[in-house]
Amino acid sequence: MTINHHQLKHIETVIGQMIRFDRPADAVLSAYFREHSKLGANDRHIIAETSFGALRRLLQLRALIAPDKATPRRLALVALLKIHKLNVKELGEAASAGEKEWLGQIKGKVLPASLEVDAELPQWVIERLGEQTPEQVIALGKGLAEGAPLDLRVNTMKMKRDELLGRLQADGLECEATPYSPLGIRLKTKPSLAKHELFKTGVFEVQDEGSQLLGLITGARRGEMVVDFCAGAGGKTLLLGAQMASSGRLYAFDVSEKRLAKLKPRQARSGLSNVHPQLLASENDTKVKRLAGKADRVLVDAPCSGLGTLRRNPDLKFRQNPDSVAELNAKQASILASAARLVRAGGRLVYATCSLLPQENQDIVAAFLADHPDFKLVKMDEVLAEQKIPLQMGDYLELKPQLHNTDGFFAAVLEKNA
């Protein structure tokens, strides 16, 4: 692989825009590709892989560049060297003689011992991870610095998983069943699937295996009343609807009109007729009060720091901070308390996040249970056994990329006393 002058310039510009951390990195990249619509597929691939790779290893790259300033240009050069394992000669005319000489010195540089750099996690995140050994922190950090696989969820209303696997393999796609979710398929590569006939007809959706497990542990059944309290674009809503075999009533609540608008075409493709999207003004909207005490299941996939999704969104560890997490904690507690009002006696409430921080997870659940003696924790192992999911977890679902090859997810199942 050789890099030309134009590719290096694009990579440098994209990294420069990303490390301002004023908007999501994927939004930066999408906007850049729209502005440079003539870029070919190979150029786009190199630019995307290198710029995201630089974000994933930003602390390491900065440490290698120090004491020099980590400019976008230097970050781009060192990223090409470290991520694509290029040698200096392969930079050809793209880099100057002085840059090549500097890179030669970087190549043999030994990094200083530092938990932050080894784990690729900022100090404030490490301090908030709870009681973990340095080895555990490094293993977690390395798992979060890897790229995520592409997982699909089969729509069981339209096809069985084994049949979908066979169809995709017949199309030349290398794939296999996911180890934990009975609905999941993991692809070996990342083809564009938006034009695939089976996607267009709603046979499958793209969804991380961990996210599928959050839907499955909700345990929605035929004929029930179920609420997805923070539905977003509806990935878990559609899973719940299929679990219910399109019967009963499934409410998809969200405070964002934009997110709910993305659910509409997905719902149409899925063939589900039991989904009722509802826009809320806030978690205390009157629409919530109308369903008080009526729901069999309520799923709260709460707004959170997203630190469990660093494989896909490596910029989040630099865009979040202790203050933003504290703000989220207040919101999480308020949303959980509001959603709890919907649960009928004997019904279940699932609290979930894509965070790894105890402050957003166990602490929120403990405070809720202290304030709501009419709810009790259901051990996660019981819930997983009910759904025939081959995982041992203890009290909570705690998925970690280095152990389960999913995003980092947390969930607790709470049951209202009958």
Side-chain angles (χ1 to χ4, degrees):
M1 175 177 163
T2 51
I3 293 290
N4 64 43
H5 162 73
H6 293 293
Q7 287 166 334
L8 180 57
K9 195 74 199 146
H10 287 303
I11 293 164
E12 177 191 346
T13 308
V14 170
I15 288 174
Q17 290 179 12
M18 283 180 173
I19 61 172
R20 289 180 200 153
F21 301 119
D22 53 0
R23 59 192 168 130
D26 55 358
V28 169
L29 195 65
S30 300
Y32 192 82
F33 286 160
R34 277 198 302 277
E35 283 166 33
H36 299 81
S37 54
K38 291 195 170 72
L39 280 169
N42 185 48
D43 286 345
R44 285 168 184 255
H45 175 73
I46 291 168
I47 295 161
E49 286 291 303
T50 313
S51 51
F52 266 90
L55 281 184
R56 287 198 180 97
R57 291 173 175 76
L58 188 57
L59 297 173
Q60 187 188 102
L61 299 185
R62 282 175 174 168
L64 282 169
I65 292 166
D68 292 325
K69 189 169 187 282
T71 61
R73 176 79 175 182
R74 287 181 182 137
L75 286 167
L77 287 165
V78 180
L80 286 166
L81 213 66
K82 290 288 172 187
I83 293 156
H84 296 295
K85 306 283 188 275
L86 293 190
N87 62 45
V88 176
K89 284 180 191 154
E90 287 172 296
L91 290 168
E93 301 294 307
S96 69
E99 284 172 332
K100 286 177 187 170
E101 190 185 330
W102 176 75
L103 283 170
Q105 294 162 7
I106 292 276
K107 208 157 190 187
K109 192 169 176 180
V110 178
L111 282 170
S114 149
L115 187 54
E116 254 189 285
V117 172
D118 290 344
E120 270 301 333
L121 292 169
Q123 189 58 38
W124 75 267
V125 175
I126 293 171
E127 284 166 7
R128 281 162 182 75
L129 278 175
E131 291 172 16
Q132 295 196 36
T133 64
E135 291 74 22
Q136 287 172 319
V137 172
I138 290 166
L140 173 64
K142 285 187 169 160
L144 288 165
E146 292 298 318
L150 179 61
D151 292 347
L152 312 179
R153 175 186 61 78
V154 64
N155 177 0
T156 48
M157 298 285 293
K158 300 205 170 193
M159 200 176 276
K160 287 194 161 66
R161 175 165 73 170
D162 288 350
E163 188 188 342
L164 177 58
L165 257 174
R167 295 277 294 271
L168 294 173
Q169 286 164 347
D171 289 343
L173 295 172
E174 275 190 80
C175 54
E176 61 190 11
T178 48
Y180 310 118
S181 167
L183 307 173
I185 290 175
R186 180 160 292 152
L187 274 75
K188 292 268 174 27
T189 56
K190 294 190 178 174
S192 174
L193 296 167
K195 293 190 172 73
H196 196 288
E197 197 51 43
L198 295 176
F199 175 75
K200 289 196 287 190
T201 53
V203 172
F204 68 81
E205 283 275 342
V206 173
Q207 187 177 21
D208 181 78
E209 184 182 20
S211 174
Q212 295 179 35
L213 294 181
L214 295 188
L216 288 165
I217 62 167
T218 305
R221 297 183 191 139
R222 290 169 188 259
E224 289 188 331
M225 181 184 284
V226 179
V227 180
D228 188 353
F229 202 82
C230 307
K236 293 177 206 67
T237 311
L238 300 178
L239 186 156
L240 296 171
Q243 264 189 312
M244 298 164 75
S246 200
S247 65
R249 283 182 87 74
L250 173 56
Y251 290 96
F253 286 167
D254 207 273
V255 292
S256 164
E257 197 167 355
K258 202 170 164 187
R259 285 196 293 264
L260 283 179
K262 287 181 182 167
L263 168 58
K264 274 197 178 137
R266 297 174 80 182
Q267 185 186 337
R269 279 199 307 270
S270 74
L272 294 174
S273 58
N274 65 336
V275 181
H276 303 274
Q278 306 253 300
L279 181 67
L280 303 185
S282 77
E283 67 266 26
N284 296 310
D285 195 301
T286 50
K287 288 173 191 158
V288 177
K289 289 175 188 155
R290 282 204 292 263
L291 294 179
K294 291 179 181 171
D296 297 284
R297 322 259 165 183
V298 178
L299 170 60
V300 177
D301 182 10
C304 68
S305 64
L307 293 171
T309 68
L310 292 180
R311 301 186 306 170
R312 301 165 202 283
N313 309 300
D315 50 314
L316 279 175
K317 59 190 168 189
F318 304 107
R319 289 177 47 233
Q320 296 284 11
N321 58 56
D323 292 342
S324 66
V325 171
E327 269 178 47
L328 283 163
N329 293 157
K331 194 180 278 188
Q332 288 153 353
S334 173
I335 288 171
L336 184 57
S338 182
R341 295 178 301 170
L342 302 180
V343 185
R344 66 162 175 80
R348 281 186 178 179
L349 172 64
V350 178
Y351 174 75
T353 74
C354 50
S355 173
L356 301 155
L357 305 184
Q359 299 91 310
E360 299 186 82
N361 298 336
Q362 293 90 338
D363 294 2
I364 297 288
V365 173
F368 172 83
L369 287 171
D371 287 344
H372 296 78
D374 52 336
F375 278 86
K376 63 172 191 269
L377 185 73
V378 183
K379 282 193 178 297
M380 190 53 64
D381 282 345
E382 280 177 41
V383 180
L384 292 166
E386 282 169 15
Q387 295 300 324
K388 299 183 176 60
I389 294 165
L391 265 174
Q392 295 283 294
M393 279 281 162
D395 285 350
Y396 305 110
L397 185 74
E398 293 181 80
L399 297 170
K400 292 177 179 153
Q402 79 278 19
L403 299 175
H404 308 107
N405 201 13
T406 64
D407 286 341
F409 282 107
F410 169 89
V413 175
L414 310 163
E415 193 166 277
K416 191 169 184 180
N417 297 337

